[in-house]
Amino acid sequence: MEIHLLRNATMRLRYAQHTLLADPDLAPRHARDSFTGRSRNPMVDLPLAKEAIVEGIEAVLVSHLHADHFDAEAQQLLPKDIPVFCQPTDAERIQGYGFRNVIPVDHVVEWQGVRITRVAGQHGFGADLASMGQVSGFVLAAAHEPTLYWVGDSVWYPDVAATIEQFQPSVIVTHSSGAIWEAGTPIVMDAQQTITLCQTATASTVVAIHLDSLDHGQVSRADLRMAASAAGISAAQLRIPNDGDVLSFEGSSAVASQ
């Protein structure tokens, strides 16, 4: 398995000999408005041309439809017959963008030898939940591949712990920028929540992304590494890739349970 981080939540995943694109945000730097007045978004350029990012993609995973997770550039550039896996509440809107092979994942779907399980997420706390809307994470499992749990835009809360307990993933991808919204509390994991996840999933490698890309993020890569080191979390357990980095993982696992 390979995780090629592009920017924010956008990843090229090489899994079970297939290439998938997760949460494609292909906009150029500063193409969208600021959330906080600190900077227009995205704050950084993509490490590759957008045409190179979509080249060879066989399917797309969309966790939810906020602009930094499936933007207009991606909607225009991706072929309209490509399989797009999404949460059921987003299927109609994605079809409205012209995509003809939208596959809502109610619970589990099987695709090309890969089991894709949609799991719950919570995009913040309290008053922010209504404005953030529903989000999902995904667990990927296949023969001779490590089980991957992509948490998505979620804070640490009991359902994330339950997913880890159920699937025992080898690799967990977290969104760890501590981004804030109107209530002023995190709408994705911050440093302490990421550390708590690492302390819970001691047998997993955690890959922290969604960092240094958007102006409402409160935690930088450097902040997260410093906090994790202070808490005794090793760089081997918590990996914090830069945009453009490719992480490789080996391992054989049974297909995750339903």
Side-chain angles (χ1 to χ4, degrees):
M1 179 180 71
E2 287 185 348
I3 298 174
H4 185 180
L5 175 63
L6 282 310
R7 182 185 61 195
N8 201 43
T10 306
M11 301 175 284
R12 281 176 62 106
L13 302 175
R14 185 69 181 165
Y15 197 83
Q17 302 182 43
H18 297 288
T19 305
L20 301 91
L21 186 62
D23 275 6
D25 173 10
L26 305 183
R29 179 174 179 255
H30 292 169
R32 295 192 296 267
D33 289 341
S34 169
F35 293 129
T36 67
R38 181 160 65 101
S39 170
R40 289 183 63 82
N41 291 304
M43 296 194 302
V44 294
D45 287 316
L46 289 162
L48 298 174
K50 60 186 180 181
E51 293 80 10
I53 290 171
V54 303
E55 183 178 359
I57 294 298
E58 298 171 67
V60 179
L61 290 172
V62 177
S63 66
H64 64 300
L65 291 180
H66 289 166
D68 59 309
H69 295 266
F70 194 26
D71 76 334
E73 297 270 349
Q75 294 162 21
Q76 293 169 7
L77 191 59
L78 286 163
K80 294 301 184 285
D81 59 350
I82 196 167
V84 180
F85 297 96
C86 65
Q87 53 186 6
T89 56
D90 292 341
E92 185 174 351
R93 278 184 61 188
I94 296 173
Q95 290 167 344
Y97 301 150
F99 291 92
R100 299 185 294 273
N101 192 8
V102 179
I103 304 169
V105 183
D106 186 31
H107 180 45
V108 179
V109 298
E110 304 279 350
W111 175 79
Q112 302 291 323
V114 180
R115 175 172 289 174
I116 302 171
T117 304
R118 185 175 66 85
V119 295
Q122 180 176 304
H123 205 348
F125 300 99
D128 283 332
L129 286 177
S131 56
M132 290 296 100
Q134 181 176 330
V135 298
S136 294
F138 291 95
V139 177
L140 303 185
H144 312 300
E145 289 282 10
T147 298
L148 170 66
Y149 172 25
W150 173 32
V151 179
D153 263 11
S154 179
V155 294
W156 172 259
Y157 78 119
D159 281 7
V160 173
T163 298
I164 294 170
E165 176 65 24
Q166 178 182 356
F167 290 95
Q168 298 293 306
S170 297
V171 180
I172 302 172
V173 177
T174 63
H175 295 181
S176 296
S177 66
I180 59 171
W181 201 243
E182 295 174 354
T185 54
I187 56 173
V188 298
M189 290 187 200
D190 59 12
Q192 185 54 58
Q193 292 177 44
T194 305
I195 289 167
T196 300
L197 183 147
C198 290
Q199 292 169 336
T200 301
T202 55
S204 303
T205 300
V206 179
V207 179
I209 65 169
H210 204 289
L211 293 156
D212 296 327
S213 303
L214 303 172
D215 77 327
H216 62 336
Q218 305 298 299
V219 178
S220 68
R221 289 180 173 95
D223 294 335
L224 181 57
R225 177 62 72 203
M226 184 179 300
S229 296
I233 305 299
S234 72
Q237 185 190 7
L238 176 60
R239 303 184 68 175
I240 308 175
N242 292 313
D243 295 346
D245 284 355
V246 179
L247 306 184
S248 297
F249 301 90
E250 296 183 359
S252 178
S253 66
V255 175
S257 65
Q258 298 185 34

mmCIF file of all heavy atoms in Angstrom, residues 70-95:
data_model
loop_
_atom_site.group_PDB
_atom_site.id
_atom_site.type_symbol
_atom_site.label_atom_id
_atom_site.label_comp_id
_atom_site.label_asym_id
_atom_site.label_seq_id
_atom_site.Cartn_x
_atom_site.Cartn_y
_atom_site.Cartn_z
ATOM 1 N N PHE A 70 -13.921 18.076 -2.212
ATOM 2 C CA PHE A 70 -14.297 17.729 -3.588
ATOM 3 C C PHE A 70 -14.655 19.036 -4.271
ATOM 4 O O PHE A 70 -15.793 19.477 -4.223
ATOM 5 C CB PHE A 70 -15.457 16.741 -3.596
ATOM 6 C CG PHE A 70 -15.706 16.074 -4.932
ATOM 7 C CD1 PHE A 70 -14.686 15.920 -5.862
ATOM 8 C CD2 PHE A 70 -16.959 15.585 -5.252
ATOM 9 C CE1 PHE A 70 -14.913 15.303 -7.084
ATOM 10 C CE2 PHE A 70 -17.202 14.953 -6.468
ATOM 11 C CZ PHE A 70 -16.179 14.807 -7.386
ATOM 12 N N ASP A 71 -13.671 19.655 -4.891
ATOM 13 C CA ASP A 71 -13.862 21.018 -5.378
ATOM 14 C C ASP A 71 -14.227 21.047 -6.857
ATOM 15 O O ASP A 71 -14.233 20.024 -7.542
ATOM 16 C CB ASP A 71 -12.629 21.872 -5.082
ATOM 17 C CG ASP A 71 -11.457 21.575 -6.022
ATOM 18 O OD1 ASP A 71 -11.365 20.443 -6.550
ATOM 19 O OD2 ASP A 71 -10.630 22.481 -6.223
ATOM 20 N N ALA A 72 -14.534 22.250 -7.344
ATOM 21 C CA ALA A 72 -14.991 22.408 -8.724
ATOM 22 C C ALA A 72 -13.934 21.978 -9.730
ATOM 23 O O ALA A 72 -14.265 21.430 -10.796
ATOM 24 C CB ALA A 72 -15.396 23.861 -8.965
ATOM 25 N N GLU A 73 -12.663 22.204 -9.422
ATOM 26 C CA GLU A 73 -11.595 21.783 -10.330
ATOM 27 C C GLU A 73 -11.610 20.271 -10.527
ATOM 28 O O GLU A 73 -11.498 19.770 -11.645
ATOM 29 C CB GLU A 73 -10.237 22.233 -9.783
ATOM 30 C CG GLU A 73 -10.058 23.726 -9.665
ATOM 31 C CD GLU A 73 -9.480 24.354 -10.916
ATOM 32 O OE1 GLU A 73 -9.018 23.610 -11.798
ATOM 33 O OE2 GLU A 73 -9.505 25.586 -11.004
ATOM 34 N N ALA A 74 -11.742 19.539 -9.433
ATOM 35 C CA ALA A 74 -11.788 18.081 -9.526
ATOM 36 C C ALA A 74 -13.049 17.615 -10.249
ATOM 37 O O ALA A 74 -13.005 16.679 -11.054
ATOM 38 C CB ALA A 74 -11.729 17.476 -8.125
ATOM 39 N N GLN A 75 -14.154 18.260 -9.955
ATOM 40 C CA GLN A 75 -15.410 17.887 -10.605
ATOM 41 C C GLN A 75 -15.328 18.051 -12.118
ATOM 42 O O GLN A 75 -15.906 17.262 -12.873
ATOM 43 C CB GLN A 75 -16.548 18.730 -10.044
ATOM 44 C CG GLN A 75 -16.845 18.477 -8.589
ATOM 45 C CD GLN A 75 -17.638 19.594 -7.944
ATOM 46 O OE1 GLN A 75 -18.301 20.369 -8.629
ATOM 47 N NE2 GLN A 75 -17.556 19.708 -6.628
ATOM 48 N N GLN A 76 -14.600 19.047 -12.574
ATOM 49 C CA GLN A 76 -14.467 19.287 -14.009
ATOM 50 C C GLN A 76 -13.447 18.355 -14.657
ATOM 51 O O GLN A 76 -13.623 17.923 -15.800
ATOM 52 C CB GLN A 76 -14.067 20.741 -14.258
ATOM 53 C CG GLN A 76 -15.142 21.747 -13.878
ATOM 54 C CD GLN A 76 -14.630 23.178 -13.885
ATOM 55 O OE1 GLN A 76 -13.501 23.449 -14.295
ATOM 56 N NE2 GLN A 76 -15.464 24.105 -13.415
ATOM 57 N N LEU A 77 -12.384 18.036 -13.930
ATOM 58 C CA LEU A 77 -11.262 17.322 -14.533
ATOM 59 C C LEU A 77 -11.435 15.812 -14.545
ATOM 60 O O LEU A 77 -11.011 15.137 -15.486
ATOM 61 C CB LEU A 77 -9.973 17.686 -13.787
ATOM 62 C CG LEU A 77 -8.651 17.249 -14.413
ATOM 63 C CD1 LEU A 77 -8.491 17.846 -15.813
ATOM 64 C CD2 LEU A 77 -7.483 17.668 -13.530
ATOM 65 N N LEU A 78 -12.052 15.259 -13.523
ATOM 66 C CA LEU A 78 -12.181 13.803 -13.442
ATOM 67 C C LEU A 78 -13.146 13.287 -14.501
ATOM 68 O O LEU A 78 -14.175 13.920 -14.776
ATOM 69 C CB LEU A 78 -12.674 13.397 -12.056
ATOM 70 C CG LEU A 78 -11.632 13.507 -10.936
ATOM 71 C CD1 LEU A 78 -12.316 13.497 -9.573
ATOM 72 C CD2 LEU A 78 -10.629 12.360 -11.033
ATOM 73 N N PRO A 79 -12.863 12.131 -15.082
ATOM 74 C CA PRO A 79 -13.787 11.570 -16.070
ATOM 75 C C PRO A 79 -15.137 11.253 -15.440
ATOM 76 O O PRO A 79 -15.204 10.766 -14.311
ATOM 77 C CB PRO A 79 -13.079 10.306 -16.560
ATOM 78 C CG PRO A 79 -11.995 10.037 -15.580
ATOM 79 C CD PRO A 79 -11.657 11.308 -14.905
ATOM 80 N N LYS A 80 -16.199 11.531 -16.170
ATOM 81 C CA LYS A 80 -17.531 11.430 -15.598
ATOM 82 C C LYS A 80 -18.012 9.996 -15.428
ATOM 83 O O LYS A 80 -19.020 9.745 -14.773
ATOM 84 C CB LYS A 80 -18.538 12.219 -16.443
ATOM 85 C CG LYS A 80 -18.273 13.728 -16.403
ATOM 86 C CD LYS A 80 -18.335 14.262 -14.983
ATOM 87 C CE LYS A 80 -18.172 15.763 -14.896
ATOM 88 N NZ LYS A 80 -16.774 16.188 -15.113
ATOM 89 N N ASP A 81 -17.293 9.016 -15.994
ATOM 90 C CA ASP A 81 -17.685 7.623 -15.816
ATOM 91 C C ASP A 81 -16.875 6.921 -14.742
ATOM 92 O O ASP A 81 -17.032 5.718 -14.514
ATOM 93 C CB ASP A 81 -17.582 6.854 -17.133
ATOM 94 C CG ASP A 81 -16.167 6.860 -17.720
ATOM 95 O OD1 ASP A 81 -15.304 7.618 -17.211
ATOM 96 O OD2 ASP A 81 -15.928 6.125 -18.698
ATOM 97 N N ILE A 82 -16.007 7.634 -14.043
ATOM 98 C CA ILE A 82 -15.183 7.012 -13.007
ATOM 99 C C ILE A 82 -16.048 6.644 -11.811
ATOM 100 O O ILE A 82 -16.979 7.380 -11.466
ATOM 101 C CB ILE A 82 -14.031 7.955 -12.596
ATOM 102 C CG1 ILE A 82 -12.947 7.187 -11.832
ATOM 103 C CG2 ILE A 82 -14.539 9.140 -11.767
ATOM 104 C CD1 ILE A 82 -11.652 7.958 -11.666
ATOM 105 N N PRO A 83 -15.808 5.495 -11.161
ATOM 106 C CA PRO A 83 -16.558 5.183 -9.935
ATOM 107 C C PRO A 83 -16.250 6.202 -8.840
ATOM 108 O O PRO A 83 -15.079 6.505 -8.578
ATOM 109 C CB PRO A 83 -16.052 3.791 -9.547
ATOM 110 C CG PRO A 83 -15.465 3.221 -10.798
ATOM 111 C CD PRO A 83 -14.913 4.388 -11.555
ATOM 112 N N VAL A 84 -17.288 6.734 -8.222
ATOM 113 C CA VAL A 84 -17.148 7.678 -7.111
ATOM 114 C C VAL A 84 -17.872 7.087 -5.908
ATOM 115 O O VAL A 84 -19.099 6.964 -5.916
ATOM 116 C CB VAL A 84 -17.725 9.061 -7.445
ATOM 117 C CG1 VAL A 84 -17.552 10.010 -6.254
ATOM 118 C CG2 VAL A 84 -17.067 9.644 -8.691
ATOM 119 N N PHE A 85 -17.120 6.705 -4.881
ATOM 120 C CA PHE A 85 -17.693 6.157 -3.655
ATOM 121 C C PHE A 85 -17.923 7.301 -2.669
ATOM 122 O O PHE A 85 -17.048 8.133 -2.451
ATOM 123 C CB PHE A 85 -16.754 5.111 -3.040
ATOM 124 C CG PHE A 85 -16.534 3.917 -3.922
ATOM 125 C CD1 PHE A 85 -15.421 3.846 -4.749
ATOM 126 C CD2 PHE A 85 -17.446 2.879 -3.940
ATOM 127 C CE1 PHE A 85 -15.213 2.751 -5.562
ATOM 128 C CE2 PHE A 85 -17.255 1.775 -4.759
ATOM 129 C CZ PHE A 85 -16.130 1.709 -5.576
ATOM 130 N N CYS A 86 -19.108 7.322 -2.061
ATOM 131 C CA CYS A 86 -19.471 8.454 -1.213
ATOM 132 C C CYS A 86 -20.478 8.015 -0.164
ATOM 133 O O CYS A 86 -21.010 6.907 -0.216
ATOM 134 C CB CYS A 86 -20.058 9.588 -2.053
ATOM 135 S SG CYS A 86 -21.632 9.160 -2.850
ATOM 136 N N GLN A 87 -20.777 8.910 0.778
ATOM 137 C CA GLN A 87 -21.855 8.640 1.718
ATOM 138 C C GLN A 87 -23.190 8.849 0.988
ATOM 139 O O GLN A 87 -23.296 9.670 0.069
ATOM 140 C CB GLN A 87 -21.732 9.525 2.950
ATOM 141 C CG GLN A 87 -21.618 11.010 2.703
ATOM 142 C CD GLN A 87 -21.350 11.796 3.984
ATOM 143 O OE1 GLN A 87 -21.140 11.227 5.069
ATOM 144 N NE2 GLN A 87 -21.352 13.113 3.880
ATOM 145 N N PRO A 88 -24.220 8.068 1.364
ATOM 146 C CA PRO A 88 -25.490 8.126 0.623
ATOM 147 C C PRO A 88 -26.082 9.526 0.520
ATOM 148 O O PRO A 88 -26.686 9.872 -0.503
ATOM 149 C CB PRO A 88 -26.396 7.179 1.417
ATOM 150 C CG PRO A 88 -25.455 6.187 2.016
ATOM 151 C CD PRO A 88 -24.230 6.979 2.370
ATOM 152 N N THR A 89 -25.917 10.364 1.534
ATOM 153 C CA THR A 89 -26.522 11.687 1.509
ATOM 154 C C THR A 89 -25.899 12.595 0.450
ATOM 155 O O THR A 89 -26.496 13.625 0.104
ATOM 156 C CB THR A 89 -26.393 12.369 2.886
ATOM 157 O OG1 THR A 89 -25.004 12.400 3.256
ATOM 158 C CG2 THR A 89 -27.175 11.625 3.939
ATOM 159 N N ASP A 90 -24.739 12.224 -0.092
ATOM 160 C CA ASP A 90 -24.067 13.059 -1.087
ATOM 161 C C ASP A 90 -24.250 12.564 -2.514
ATOM 162 O O ASP A 90 -23.821 13.238 -3.462
ATOM 163 C CB ASP A 90 -22.567 13.130 -0.782
ATOM 164 C CG ASP A 90 -22.256 13.894 0.490
ATOM 165 O OD1 ASP A 90 -23.120 14.663 0.941
ATOM 166 O OD2 ASP A 90 -21.148 13.706 1.031
ATOM 167 N N ALA A 91 -24.852 11.401 -2.691
ATOM 168 C CA ALA A 91 -24.892 10.771 -4.009
ATOM 169 C C ALA A 91 -25.625 11.637 -5.041
ATOM 170 O O ALA A 91 -25.143 11.815 -6.170
ATOM 171 C CB ALA A 91 -25.540 9.398 -3.914
ATOM 172 N N GLU A 92 -26.754 12.193 -4.683
ATOM 173 C CA GLU A 92 -27.539 12.964 -5.648
ATOM 174 C C GLU A 92 -26.785 14.211 -6.114
ATOM 175 O O GLU A 92 -26.781 14.541 -7.303
ATOM 176 C CB GLU A 92 -28.885 13.353 -5.035
ATOM 177 C CG GLU A 92 -29.816 14.047 -6.010
ATOM 178 C CD GLU A 92 -31.201 14.310 -5.428
ATOM 179 O OE1 GLU A 92 -31.492 13.791 -4.329
ATOM 180 O OE2 GLU A 92 -31.976 15.034 -6.071
ATOM 181 N N ARG A 93 -26.118 14.884 -5.181
ATOM 182 C CA ARG A 93 -25.356 16.078 -5.569
ATOM 183 C C ARG A 93 -24.208 15.720 -6.499
ATOM 184 O O ARG A 93 -23.941 16.435 -7.473
ATOM 185 C CB ARG A 93 -24.818 16.799 -4.332
ATOM 186 C CG ARG A 93 -25.818 17.716 -3.657
ATOM 187 C CD ARG A 93 -25.186 18.470 -2.503
ATOM 188 N NE ARG A 93 -24.076 19.314 -2.916
ATOM 189 C CZ ARG A 93 -23.270 19.948 -2.068
ATOM 190 N NH1 ARG A 93 -23.428 19.796 -0.748
ATOM 191 N NH2 ARG A 93 -22.286 20.708 -2.524
ATOM 192 N N ILE A 94 -23.528 14.617 -6.225
ATOM 193 C CA ILE A 94 -22.415 14.220 -7.080
ATOM 194 C C ILE A 94 -22.918 13.832 -8.468
ATOM 195 O O ILE A 94 -22.298 14.167 -9.493
ATOM 196 C CB ILE A 94 -21.610 13.083 -6.428
ATOM 197 C CG1 ILE A 94 -20.959 13.584 -5.126
ATOM 198 C CG2 ILE A 94 -20.528 12.555 -7.368
ATOM 199 C CD1 ILE A 94 -20.288 12.514 -4.305
ATOM 200 N N GLN A 95 -24.052 13.167 -8.534
ATOM 201 C CA GLN A 95 -24.669 12.889 -9.834
ATOM 202 C C GLN A 95 -24.992 14.188 -10.557
ATOM 203 O O GLN A 95 -24.852 14.290 -11.784
ATOM 204 C CB GLN A 95 -25.922 12.040 -9.641
ATOM 205 C CG GLN A 95 -25.633 10.613 -9.209
ATOM 206 C CD GLN A 95 -26.879 9.882 -8.731
ATOM 207 O OE1 GLN A 95 -27.902 10.501 -8.443
ATOM 208 N NE2 GLN A 95 -26.783 8.559 -8.639
#
